[in-house]
Amino acid sequence: MSHQTGINASRELLDLFSKSKDGSVRLIQVLINDELLVPGIQASPQGSWEDDYDVLVLPLLSRQPCYLLYRLDSSNNQGLQWILIAWTPENCTIRQKMLYAATRATLKTEFGGGHVLEELTASEKEDASLRGYKQHLASAAAPAPLSTAELELQRMKIDEINTDVTMDTKRPTLQGVAFPIEDQALDAMRSLKSGKIQYVQLRLDIDRELVTLVCARQIEVGSLPEQVPTDSPSWNFFLYKHSHLGQTEESLVFIYSMPGSKCSIKERMLYSSCKGAFICDVEQQVGLQIARKVEIDSGSELTPEFLYSELHPARHTPRPAFDKPPGPSRSHGGQRRLVRPAPDGGQTQV
């Protein structure tokens, strides 16, 4: 876009550009006058670039548009680095704004684009101040805003990376909801962890939005089915003591009971969507280690055989390969025999 307006730098400005590369100049004001880029006010460094910035830049931000080349204290392989500020106040005419916007590329080329670290366009003093310049740097370094679709795609990718997918993985249809757990329920689950009790039943108090304790007691596996309510959903923890491969084991089973049509749609949705967050809270706050999670429609399913098969699924052993029967004796090196019919109707072996 250079030379779009046909405006070039004057000889005086080009000489000043050459002189400024030795570090003796902190600021150069450039104006457009009579179809030429000409130098305005110039200033020498007094302190660090941050100390000099507002002192030198702000007084030049008047009603007249201009360019400001401000030298930093940093450098690159081409030399000292500069900031190019295009100042076009709101009171400028449209022609002035268009002229300065179209000529900026020419100025940058004449000065040397490799020396310009940042470009800043401002129409308010606050935008061209030191604070405004630093805000410009922070905004440029920030990631670009994402659309709603891009945010959803990003969330899905993160979920895919952080999710351990197995045969037992179930995808929730609603985003998880977390209800707080009352203290009595947490105390009961701590007793369950220590082995003082074997069974804890919890429910959602939908009106209070709270996970509450229903009961906590010592029971045997045979009485487990009758503990589970038949007309309302519930979350149950049972410490199943059993023998496996000759060793006694204690396995904590989480039982999610949902008696089907006897529960309202709201109950089914809340129990399902709160379950994941609830289990995470229990594992983190109490330290329970759940060996197995099961879902049932009725407590009658909770037989010892069912619990054992859930904890220790039967392994399918591969069937032995079919052994091919041995071939004729000749294939094992035996003597080949030839049988011919005899004249009298019998057989003769050769």
Side-chain angles (χ1 to χ4, degrees):
M1 293 178 60
S2 61
H3 305 295
Q4 283 191 1
T5 59
I7 298 176
N8 299 314
S10 65
R11 173 50 55 188
E12 183 182 3
L13 182 61
L14 293 176
D15 292 342
L16 180 57
F17 284 168
S18 300
K19 175 185 174 183
S20 65
K21 304 300 173 58
D22 61 3
S24 60
V25 178
R26 173 68 77 185
L27 178 141
I28 301 173
Q29 182 187 40
V30 181
L31 305 169
I32 297 178
N33 189 12
D34 294 334
E35 303 298 324
L36 281 177
L37 290 168
V38 298
I41 297 174
Q42 55 184 292
S44 302
Q46 302 297 323
S48 67
W49 77 270
E50 291 187 347
D51 295 335
D52 292 344
Y53 190 98
D54 284 341
V55 176
L56 300 178
V57 171
L58 295 183
L60 300 180
L61 304 180
S62 62
R63 297 174 62 87
Q64 181 182 12
C66 65
Y67 302 111
L68 298 176
L69 286 163
Y70 186 84
R71 181 178 64 79
L72 304 172
D73 294 334
S74 59
S75 61
N76 57 19
N77 56 2
Q78 296 192 28
L80 295 169
Q81 293 179 309
W82 295 68
I83 304 170
L84 172 57
I85 304 172
W87 168 249
T88 51
E90 292 294 340
N91 64 299
C92 288
T93 64
I94 295 178
R95 181 181 182 280
Q96 286 177 315
K97 292 180 180 180
M98 294 179 62
L99 188 63
Y100 272 84
T103 312
R104 184 170 63 177
T106 301
L107 172 64
K108 185 177 177 181
T109 301
E110 298 285 6
F111 181 74
H115 296 281
V116 178
L117 178 64
E118 292 289 342
E119 295 185 50
L120 183 63
T121 302
S123 58
E124 299 288 342
K125 286 189 176 182
E126 292 181 358
D127 296 335
S129 65
L130 179 61
R131 181 180 178 182
Y133 171 66
K134 289 185 176 181
Q135 289 178 347
H136 162 76
L137 294 179
S139 177
L146 301 178
S147 65
T148 303
E150 290 171 332
L151 287 172
E152 182 66 18
L153 181 61
Q154 185 184 63
R155 185 188 66 79
M156 291 174 61
K157 288 182 178 179
I158 294 174
D159 289 345
E160 290 175 359
I161 294 173
N162 296 334
T163 301
D164 183 17
V165 180
T166 65
M167 293 182 63
D168 296 326
T169 300
K170 295 184 178 181
R171 295 283 186 178
T173 56
L174 293 177
Q175 188 175 5
V177 179
F179 280 6
I181 307 172
E182 69 173 2
D183 293 338
Q184 289 182 339
L186 291 173
D187 292 339
M189 285 184 285
R190 292 188 182 98
S191 299
L192 179 68
K193 179 184 178 183
S194 63
K196 296 179 181 179
I197 56 176
Q198 279 186 278
Y199 177 73
V200 172
Q201 184 182 130
L202 306 169
R203 63 179 291 271
L204 284 180
D205 189 330
I206 297 176
D207 295 333
R208 297 163 57 197
E209 297 187 351
L210 188 68
V211 180
T212 61
L213 176 67
V214 177
C215 64
R217 57 175 63 104
Q218 185 80 14
I219 65 170
E220 298 296 332
V221 65
S223 61
L224 177 60
E226 63 192 50
Q227 305 296 325
V228 180
T230 59
D231 57 351
S232 63
S234 62
W235 289 331
N236 307 266
F237 290 92
F238 179 65
L239 189 60
Y240 181 39
K241 298 180 180 180
H242 62 285
S243 177
H244 177 62
L245 299 179
Q247 295 183 352
T248 302
E249 296 185 4
E250 292 185 352
S251 302
L252 183 61
V253 182
F254 172 75
I255 304 165
Y256 168 35
S257 173
M258 179 61 65
S261 59
K262 297 181 180 180
C263 303
S264 66
I265 295 177
K266 183 177 181 180
E267 285 180 319
R268 284 192 291 238
M269 292 176 64
L270 279 176
Y271 271 83
S272 177
S273 59
C274 290
K275 182 182 65 172
F278 165 71
I279 291 176
C280 289
D281 287 343
V282 167
E283 292 175 337
Q284 293 175 2
Q285 296 185 44
V286 183
L288 290 180
Q289 295 183 352
I290 301 173
R292 187 67 175 169
K293 307 180 188 73
V294 298
E295 295 185 15
I296 60 171
D297 297 325
S298 170
S300 60
E301 301 178 40
L302 299 175
T303 62
E305 294 77 14
F306 172 78
L307 295 175
Y308 185 88
S309 64
E310 288 291 325
L311 290 167
H312 310 289
R315 296 183 178 180
H316 299 284
T317 56
R319 298 177 60 183
F322 177 73
D323 293 333
K324 184 178 179 181
S329 59
R330 63 177 177 269
S331 63
H332 297 281
Q335 185 178 5
R336 184 176 181 181
R337 295 180 299 171
L338 179 63
V339 178
R340 292 181 179 176
D344 56 358
Q347 291 182 347
T348 303
Q349 181 173 326
V350 181

